[in-house]
């Protein structure tokens, strides 16, 4: 029996406090709201009790952040796309930010198990003055457990309409893509981090934020290959590849620690779930 799970999250600013109202259908849940930074920023954790997706499963997460509200979401563990019996599995996330809203989408990685037929989709729409700090990390197989990504297919689409579109079909049989230096070059973990804005960043702000991110990259070990750029006046993007998920995720967390205060003047209040 397939899981069809939907989670609707609605962040609103009420009396200077960001409040979350949520509805669910199926095995997606939200932990209670936490306020480690005060009332203005609401921290939450999404959990998926079954722990992974198999053939036919669909996870549908829809987030709306109201005017002036600020939400942050993480997850307690990886999203696991297990081997499929023929039916595809899908995770789709839709983010909508109203004027002046801020949102941080910081899940742990997705793991594409050998034999999976996975679709991973994220779309975000930002109104004027809204800002989104988010990442997406995918591990192909489990190299340390001897489970190479040697059969199966992982499809990904990350879209910020008018700003950014990243679309990929990673077939385990496509050795030229997986092994070529023009493709993944033998790496088995890929990630994208972005700061997207509903209004164009000034040149000075873009250059400052790029300098901050590149300063973190300069201190990174050679095992993680990464580069940052501003391909659009409203967008800063960091893309990275690594042989394993741990160094790449650690890099993104370090970048977040530096980028958040540089962009928003906020301290890096690390989500508790990262330390569990």
């Amino acid at each position: 029996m397939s899981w069809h799970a939907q989670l609707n999250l609605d962040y609103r600013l009420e009396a200077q406090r960001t409040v979350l109202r949520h509805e669910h259908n199926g095995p997606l849940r939200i932990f209670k709201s936490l306020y480690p930074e005060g009332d203005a920023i609401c921290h939450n954790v999404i959990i998926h009790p079954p722990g992974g997706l198999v053939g036919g499963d669909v996870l549908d997460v829809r987030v709306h952040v109201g005017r002036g509200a600020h939400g942050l979401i993480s997850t307690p563990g990886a999203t696991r796309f297990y081997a499929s019996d023929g039916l595809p599995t899908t995770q789709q996330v839709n983010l909508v930010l109203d004027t002046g809203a801020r949102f941080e989408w910081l899940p742990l990685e997705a793991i594409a198990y050998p034999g999976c037929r996975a679709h991973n989709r994220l779309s975000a729409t930002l109104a004027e003055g809204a800002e989104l700090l988010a990442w997406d990390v995918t591990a192909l197989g489990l190299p340390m457990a001897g489970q190479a990504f040697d059969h199966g297919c992982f499809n990904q689409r990350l879209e910020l309409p008018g700003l950014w579109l990243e679309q990929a079909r990673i077939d385990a049989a496509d050795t030229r893509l997986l092994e070529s230096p023009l493709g993944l070059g033998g790496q088995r973990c890929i990630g994208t981090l972005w700061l997207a804005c509903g209004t164009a960043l000034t040149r000075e702000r873009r250059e400052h934020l790029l300098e901050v991110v590149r300063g973190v990259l300069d201190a990174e070990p050679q095992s993680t290959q990464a580069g940052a750029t501003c391909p659009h006046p409203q967008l800063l993007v960091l893309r990275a590849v690594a042989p394993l998920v741990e160094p790449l995720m650690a890099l993104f967390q370090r970048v977040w620690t530096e980028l958040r205060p540089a962009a928003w003047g906020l301290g890096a209040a690390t989500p508790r779930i990262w330390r569990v």
Side-chain angles (χ1 to χ4, degrees), residues 30-89:
I30 197 81
F31 277 165
K32 70 176 185 178
S33 296
L34 301 173
Y35 294 88
E37 303 176 81
D39 287 350
I41 306 174
C42 182
H43 288 226
N44 296 103
V45 177
I46 292 178
I47 59 170
H48 179 221
L53 294 88
V54 297
D57 285 356
V58 177
L59 299 185
D60 185 2
V61 179
R62 304 178 187 182
V63 181
H64 172 244
V65 188
R67 178 187 292 263
H70 187 159
L72 182 154
I73 284 181
S74 188
T75 58
T79 299
R80 302 173 184 271
F81 292 94
Y82 292 122
S84 172
D85 57 3
L87 295 173
T89 60

Side-chain angles (χ1 to χ4, degrees), residues 41-174:
I41 306 174
C42 182
H43 288 226
N44 296 103
V45 177
I46 292 178
I47 59 170
H48 179 221
L53 294 88
V54 297
D57 285 356
V58 177
L59 299 185
D60 185 2
V61 179
R62 304 178 187 182
V63 181
H64 172 244
V65 188
R67 178 187 292 263
H70 187 159
L72 182 154
I73 284 181
S74 188
T75 58
T79 299
R80 302 173 184 271
F81 292 94
Y82 292 122
S84 172
D85 57 3
L87 295 173
T89 60
T90 301
Q91 175 178 258
Q92 52 196 28
V93 177
N94 183 261
L95 312 175
V96 177
L97 279 63
D98 289 349
T99 303
R102 289 177 179 172
F103 188 63
E104 299 171 77
W105 175 255
L106 310 172
L108 295 184
E109 71 275 6
I111 301 177
Y113 277 69
C116 73
R117 292 185 59 198
H119 294 267
N120 185 45
R121 303 168 183 155
L122 183 145
S123 177
T125 303
L126 284 68
E128 183 177 354
E131 298 194 359
L132 170 67
L133 181 52
W135 66 47
D136 187 276
V137 176
T138 299
L140 301 172
L142 296 91
M144 299 301 291
Q147 297 186 49
F149 186 65
D150 52 11
H151 63 295
C153 187
F154 188 85
N155 298 275
Q156 179 153 281
R157 182 182 177 91
L158 307 176
E159 180 179 17
L160 291 86
L163 302 181
W164 178 258
L165 175 60
E166 180 176 330
Q167 186 162 286
R169 174 181 169 84
I170 303 175
D171 193 316
D174 189 351

